[in-house]
Amino acid sequence: MDLLKASFVEVADAVKSKKISAVEVTQFFLSRIEKLNPQLNAFITVSEKAIADAQEVDLKISKSDCIGPLAGIPFGIKDMLCTKGLRTTAGSKMLENFIPPYDATVVARLKSAGAIILGKLNQDEFAMGSSNETSYFGNCLNPWNTEYVPGGSSGGSAAAQAARMVMGTIGTDTGGSIRQPSSFCGIVGIKPTYGRVSRYGIVAFASSLDQAGPMVTSVQDAALTLESICGHDSMDSTTSQKAVPSFSKNLNSNIKGMKIGLLKEYSLGKIHPDVEQTYQKALEQLKLLGAEFVEISVGLTEFAVPMYYLISASEASSNLARYDGVKYGFRAQFNDLSSMTLDDFYAETRGQGFGTEVKRRIMLGTHCLSSGYYDAYYNKAGQVRRMLRDQYAQAFEQCDAIISPVTTSAAFKIKERSSDPLTMYMNDIFTTSANLAGLAGMSVPFGFSSLGLPIGIHLVGSHFDEQKILNIGAALESVSGTREKTPHVY
Ligand code: GLN
């Protein structure tokens, strides 16, 4: 069995029928991590328990204990998700030595579906960034060309998946962090509808926007992973009670007659010709497959980036207040505590523990929430956000899904944008709206730039309508021809 090409279903079936053991699969990927991680820096921590966990899965199979659909599938997890007994850093010095006493619900559900956790993946610090350059643990690199960023914030997930250091990964997406790195590294990434997946045990960045989701090789693997991790969770009151559909069984790439909305505002982004060409090609192919197009308008897309940065920074400033060096996390060293004030203590600890980008967001967010500015900024952004949601609701009366590029360009070079936060933020022009409106969004690989870097197509679905974007994604995948190519580091 070619473990680099096989689907989750194929490998899980082989493990369950003992054609291959979970231990063998795990060993195979651990040795790939050993070989490739020095080149890519995708893993922050590799689990020392992976083989023992795989043995346990094999034991369950030998005893015919019911084992789930991901039996023996090795996963890497973004370092935002708590893993019991396995260091969870959020890419920050602040949590450099944090070992959670419990699993995030997503991780617990993966495990009970039979998955093996190989380790924790690199990311921008506290998921703030688009290039992995803000990680305290050093930049993860793009396996297609190591002079380029893998995207962010879930860059480690995207790079590890593209280089097949794992069979599957989980990322989180607050403003595009699953979709943008998926696009930059040529993999499939889906951000589920807000409330579809539990946030319990995920380091909070912006609680009204954060969602976790699969970053994998194929749409089918994405569907299978998504149905394994989603659904109501009593530990997260924002999770929906809605029944979980069998996304993988319902997957259907016949999109004849489906109405796809062309986002009028997509010209707001300065789109690179390579992306434009790929996008037009995708539209042509979808048309050949029988899709119909309608032009739709979501006028407030224009304000999505400022709205997103205002709301996410405000929520972050409140969420990150807990890292004070008292309860847990990093604490600065002091020679003489008796002569200092509590404020000095906090300032020193937080000053040393957080990186520049995180500090910038905390300051911006604190300012937006402060009395006198709250109404003008945070409240106003909330009002516009509701209007954006309404505009989407109207758009979805006319179409089944909305299509656009994921980003305006393919991956950029390391350091190319890191000195200019605003240029970096504009990266998120097409992705942030889905988070603000709570919609499902997905990136599907579809072609390459003139420099050979992957380009993804963005599909946005209505609330809890992941199935439609998965189906359109499967249709695109069937004609993309991108799966045959492998990255430089592989
Ligand atoms: N690039 C965006 C940011 O820097 C998105 C982050 C995310 O989705 N976690 O905030």
Side-chain angles (χ1 to χ4, degrees), residues 78 80 124 126-131 152-154 172-180 205 210 308-309 312 357 361 424-425 427-428 431-432 435:
K78 185 179 185 181
M80 284 294 262
D124 282 291
F126 283 100
M128 297 175 191
S130 304
S131 61
S153 61
S154 316
T172 65
D173 191 312
T174 304
S177 282
I178 286 178
R179 293 159 287 159
Q180 183 255 26
F205 164 9
D210 300 340
Y308 164 77
Y309 277 92
S312 64
E357 183 60 26
R361 309 257 184 137
M424 189 73 95
Y425 296 169
N427 222 288
D428 305 327
T431 48
T432 46
N435 303 76

Side-chain angles (χ1 to χ4, degrees), residues 342-400:
L342 189 58
D343 277 349
D344 294 339
F345 174 87
Y346 288 155
E348 201 51 40
T349 290
R350 288 165 67 80
Q352 290 181 29
F354 290 131
T356 311
E357 183 60 26
V358 174
K359 284 182 201 159
R360 184 177 3 254
R361 309 257 184 137
I362 292 175
M363 286 193 281
L364 180 68
T366 307
H367 177 73
C368 294
L369 291 178
S370 57
S371 67
Y373 292 105
Y374 185 92
D375 278 340
Y377 293 129
Y378 189 71
N379 240 355
K380 181 67 114 212
Q383 285 162 352
V384 184
R385 181 180 184 180
R386 260 191 303 283
M387 288 160 66
L388 176 77
R389 211 183 150 98
D390 293 346
Q391 286 190 348
Y392 268 110
Q394 276 170 15
F396 280 113
E397 280 170 16
Q398 301 165 61
C399 62
D400 296 302

